[in-house]
Amino acid sequence: MAYQAGGQRPAPWPAPVSPQAQEYLRDYAALVESVPFPSLVVDHRWDVVLANSAFETLFRGVGPHPSAMPGDNFLRFVLFHPDAASVLGDHEARWCLPMLAHLASALERHGHDPALQAVRREIAQDPLMEAAYRQGLPHWMRAMGDAAVEHDGAVRPLLHPDPSWGATDCRIVDETPKSLHVLGYTRLTMLPQGRRPAPRAGHRRNRRPAGHLTVVSTPEG
């Protein structure tokens, strides 16, 4: 469960740190809460250890899920929650594929991490996702290069529940200070880039079957 910067759901940061670091993190939580844009702090598993009120507002319409809530693990939310496409525009191409690429990179660095391995097993249980991960994703990553696993600076669509945002693009900005990086955390903030044209009638899908990908074609044969 994420540490809530607004103080409604206080909990200790999950990593064991010194009293001095705990004081820093408490102050940092207040800083994140002061930001008017969705902002979150994650570890290498994408467990959300801190999220501000703007982040909570962005995902306020998301239904319950046993293992893929956005405030618990953002990687699992993007990949497995059936409501993800109701908030993350162009969900498969612009959100799922970059997160799958990041998962592949994280497994290279933290291959024995049980949480990452659990995500990998869940992908393997779905034939379409497994085919996309094993066959389609390598081709996509070669075409995209380093950008496939780079979040900082990426522009991705959002479908914000607040009508003043509406359908918009957001730029993801990595705002991780050195003190946070040393503790193994990354901070990402979503900055709106202006309104986008509304999706055509019948084009937007509010829910999707959990775990299914269609945008990564697999090689024939």
Side-chain angles (χ1 to χ4, degrees), residues 147-173:
V149 293
E150 181 60 58
H151 294 285
D152 184 42
V155 176
R156 295 179 186 151
L158 286 179
L159 303 170
H160 201 287
D162 185 339
S164 66
W165 279 46
T168 184
D169 286 324
C170 73
R171 184 176 300 279
I172 299 177
V173 179

Side-chain angles (χ1 to χ4, degrees), residues 99-122:
M99 293 301 279
L100 283 173
H102 182 87
L103 172 64
S105 177
L107 284 169
E108 291 180 0
R109 299 191 306 271
H110 309 284
H112 298 293
D113 186 288
L116 294 175
Q117 287 292 342
V119 173
R120 181 66 187 92
R121 287 193 300 272
E122 194 162 341

Side-chain angles (χ1 to χ4, degrees), residues 45-47 65-70 72-82 84 99 115-120 122 208:
R45 305 178 188 92
W46 286 83
D47 285 341
H65 190 282
S67 65
M69 293 304 290
D72 292 335
N73 184 283
F74 197 68
L75 171 66
R76 295 186 64 84
F77 170 73
V78 173
L79 297 182
F80 303 130
H81 200 299
M99 293 301 279
L116 294 175
Q117 287 292 342
V119 173
R120 181 66 187 92
E122 194 162 341
R208 63 176 178 83

